[in-house]
Amino acid sequence: MFVLGIDPGVSRCGYGCVEGPGRAVAAGVLTTPPSDPLPHRLAALGDELAALIAQYRPDAVAVERVFFQVNARTAMAVGQASGLALAAAARAGCEVAQYTPNEVKQAVAGYGAAPKEQVTRMVQALLSLPAPPRPADAADALALALTHLAMAPLRARIGR
Amino acid sequence: MFVLGIDPGVSRCGYGCVEGPGRAVAAGVLTTPPSDPLPHRLAALGDELAALIAQYRPDAVAVERVFFQVNARTAMAVGQASGLALAAAARAGCEVAQYTPNEVKQAVAGYGAAPKEQVTRMVQALLSLPAPPRPADAADALALALTHLAMAPLRARIGR
């Protein structure tokens, strides 16, 4: 199974492609210039996400599930970016899943309160990478893809 | 000027087209079935918004600016829908503006704390409608379009 993880954001949107069980195919960050008007940035991000999905043709797309306890201004942008990511994935006919940050930590590092650096090291180990994946947005996206690879069999069994 | 107002939401997304200074061209609500998976609903909503913009070819699109003080779960969906609306409008080359609910009340009813029913009656009067516009989502979208028609000259002058 080929999974694209997406860590949504308007300024920086991480992505990471993993071919199961553990080969990293691509990882990086889509950015939009803060000097551009928000609607243009969202349109550009939506187009780039659609192009990414068309290029890698993943079986499934795993998107971070966003919450609003943090910063209302940031959360708004993250929500808007996640809407574009979910819509682009569904439009391309991919299976789509959302995971909370805690679910990702649980799946990748074994416990839901794992510190960020430990998750990054586990991603490096699971994908046999020569160095910890950078930047953080790309590492988070790879962790999302690995989470889906770990969870997909269970999800299929319970019919989610 | 021809303005499309959008009151974003995933379950119900209101729209209203106004040709300045005060002729209602269309108003209604786009809905997506709650039984469908969220990514499919977002993809369908994005496609329908793009089709609406292609059909009416507005000069400008006015989208309600969303905040997160209310219900975090609803706010998430509204944020995702607003991202799709802003992106669709920018992609179509429209001028795009966002207005808070208070700015809409101020522009349409003359003060920012106006009750909903008074805003609806003012929309009816400004558009010379035989009855108050219904449902509420469509009335809100018409109010957004009227707000942009009232604000656009000022926005142009201050270069926003």
Side-chain angles (χ1 to χ4, degrees):
Chain A
M1 179 154 58
F2 198 58
V3 182
L4 174 64
I6 296 178
D7 181 24
V10 176
S11 292
R12 304 176 57 82
C13 181
Y15 68 91
C17 276
V18 177
E19 186 180 13
R23 188 175 74 88
V25 175
V29 179
L30 306 174
T31 62
T32 66
S35 54
D36 281 4
L38 177 66
H40 289 84
R41 298 172 72 190
L42 293 169
L45 177 64
D47 291 347
E48 287 185 55
L49 286 168
L52 203 64
I53 292 167
Q55 181 183 348
Y56 292 109
R57 303 182 157 277
D59 301 300
V61 176
V63 182
E64 185 168 309
R65 190 185 292 278
V66 202
F67 290 106
F68 287 109
Q69 58 272 49
V70 203
N71 174 317
R73 203 186 156 78
T74 311
M76 182 75 251
V78 174
Q80 291 170 328
S82 82
L84 293 169
L86 295 169
R91 202 174 281 129
C94 304
E95 182 188 343
V96 193
Q98 289 186 275
Y99 298 102
T100 66
N102 281 12
E103 286 173 324
V104 172
K105 290 174 182 177
Q106 176 70 44
V108 172
Y111 68 114
K116 225 171 173 53
E117 196 47 50
Q118 184 175 347
V119 174
T120 303
R121 280 199 308 271
M122 282 303 300
V123 171
Q124 180 188 356
L126 289 165
L127 296 174
S128 311
L129 298 173
R134 299 272 181 258
D137 321 71
D140 288 347
L142 289 169
L144 278 156
L146 286 166
T147 299
H148 187 71
L149 285 166
M151 305 291 276
L154 178 64
R155 287 170 60 99
R157 211 151 62 226
I158 61 174
R160 268 172 75 185
Chain B
M1 179 156 57
F2 198 57
V3 182
L4 174 65
I6 297 177
D7 181 23
V10 176
S11 292
R12 303 177 57 83
C13 180
Y15 69 90
C17 276
V18 177
E19 185 180 15
R23 188 176 73 89
V25 175
V29 179
L30 305 174
T31 61
T32 66
S35 54
D36 281 3
L38 177 66
H40 290 83
R41 299 173 71 189
L42 292 169
L45 177 64
D47 291 347
E48 286 184 57
L49 286 167
L52 202 63
I53 292 167
Q55 181 183 349
Y56 292 109
R57 303 183 156 278
D59 301 300
V61 177
V63 182
E64 185 169 310
R65 190 185 292 278
V66 202
F67 290 105
F68 287 110
Q69 58 273 47
V70 203
N71 174 315
R73 201 184 157 79
T74 312
M76 182 76 249
V78 174
Q80 291 169 329
S82 83
L84 293 169
L86 294 169
R91 201 174 281 127
C94 303
E95 181 187 343
V96 192
Q98 289 186 275
Y99 298 101
T100 66
N102 281 12
E103 286 174 324
V104 172
K105 289 173 181 175
Q106 176 70 43
V108 172
Y111 69 115
K116 225 172 173 52
E117 197 45 51
Q118 185 174 347
V119 174
T120 303
R121 278 200 308 273
M122 281 304 299
V123 170
Q124 180 189 357
L126 289 166
L127 296 173
S128 310
L129 298 173
R134 299 274 182 255
D137 322 70
D140 288 347
L142 288 169
L144 278 157
L146 286 166
T147 299
H148 186 72
L149 284 165
M151 305 291 277
L154 178 64
R155 288 170 60 98
R157 211 151 62 227
I158 60 174
R160 269 172 75 185

